[in-house]
Amino acid sequence: MADAILDANLRKGHSRSSLREIREAGEIPAVVYGKHVDSLSISVDGKELKKILNSTTGRNTLISMKVNGGKQTVMVKNLQVDPLRHDIQHVDFQQISEDSKIRTVVPIQLVGTSKGVALGGVIQQELRSAEVECLPSQIPDAIKVDISDLEIGDALTVCDLNVASEIKILDHPRSTVVSVAAARASEPEGQPEVAPEPEEEAESKTLEKEQS
């Protein structure tokens, strides 16, 4: 069952001017495609899309899209974002079947306080998301990782992630997810020591001063 509803309008123009007009009207140009349907050029309400993207399920939200007189279940597949203004410029929606497995990316969330951190260690999260394969209704909001028992020098890998049996993680099982490293020794305060000049170089400078 879909988690959100989004209306879409068919669009005909693909020129820069028509795309600019769509964006100025608060809409975002998009395309929806699937294995058994033709691609459709559409536009969606920018505010409604942002609400979906900012929800708990984010890009993995199952959306019931009303388009061309019908409904279809879709998910956000790709986003094009302006690198300077950070505005969404274009969206790719993928039509999905709730009975067919899909691949998507799920964030990894660290839970708890590591024993190693209490002793001065530093948490290093090297993998912040994981690619999974499962039915759309089984996609978790996040994969939670309990780091409470991690001490300095310990690490957790993909094979340590705890997910439901029906969810398959596609990342390499030996990839490091999180580790606890020893804190680096801080530099001593004050001015850095200056190495003494070699004797010959010091004498040479003294002679140059006397001759000047």
Side-chain angles (χ1 to χ4, degrees):
M1 184 176 179
D3 302 317
I5 298 174
L6 186 64
D7 292 334
N9 299 312
L10 290 176
R11 61 183 172 91
K12 297 179 180 179
H14 294 82
S15 64
R16 290 187 177 180
S17 60
S18 63
L19 293 177
R20 184 171 59 250
E21 289 177 1
I22 290 172
R23 296 185 182 109
E24 288 176 351
E27 299 272 313
I28 298 176
V31 63
V32 57
Y33 62 89
K35 288 184 178 180
H36 307 293
V37 295
D38 294 331
S39 296
L40 291 176
S41 295
I42 59 172
S43 64
V44 296
D45 184 273
K47 290 182 179 179
E48 292 302 315
L49 178 62
K50 288 177 182 178
K51 286 181 183 179
I52 293 173
L53 295 175
N54 291 329
S55 67
T56 305
T57 48
R59 291 178 59 165
N60 289 326
T61 302
L62 300 183
I63 303 169
S64 176
M65 177 176 284
K66 298 178 180 179
V67 57
N68 200 25
K71 289 183 181 180
Q72 49 187 299
T73 303
V74 303
M75 284 177 57
V76 174
K77 188 64 176 178
N78 289 304
L79 290 173
Q80 293 180 15
V81 181
D82 185 281
L84 298 178
R85 295 178 298 181
H86 305 292
D87 293 334
I88 300 173
Q89 297 294 296
H90 191 274
V91 189
D92 288 353
F93 292 99
Q94 181 182 6
Q95 185 188 41
I96 62 171
S97 169
E98 297 189 29
D99 298 325
S100 300
K101 291 183 178 182
I102 62 170
R103 293 185 175 188
T104 190
V105 176
V106 175
I108 294 174
Q109 180 182 344
L110 303 185
V111 179
T113 301
S114 163
K115 293 178 180 178
V117 170
L119 297 174
V122 178
I123 286 290
Q124 295 181 333
Q125 186 174 357
E126 300 184 29
L127 197 64
R128 298 186 176 276
S129 60
E131 185 179 10
V132 302
E133 183 180 61
C134 61
L135 292 175
S137 60
Q138 296 168 342
I139 301 173
D141 295 344
I143 298 175
K144 295 184 179 182
V145 181
D146 188 353
I147 60 172
S148 304
D149 292 331
L150 291 185
E151 299 184 2
I152 295 175
D154 289 345
L156 294 175
T157 60
V158 168
C159 63
D160 296 314
L161 296 179
N162 185 20
V163 295
S165 59
E166 59 268 19
I167 299 174
K168 181 180 179 181
I169 298 179
L170 303 177
D171 295 83
H172 195 286
R174 294 184 181 177
S175 297
T176 301
V177 176
V178 60
S179 61
V180 182
R184 294 180 180 179
S186 58
E187 296 291 336
E189 295 183 1
Q191 296 295 326
E193 293 184 5
V194 179
E197 294 179 337
E199 240 177 75
E200 292 181 3
E201 187 175 346
E203 289 179 1
S204 174
K205 290 183 178 180
T206 303
L207 287 175
E208 286 178 4
K209 288 182 180 178
E210 290 177 352
Q211 291 174 0
S212 58

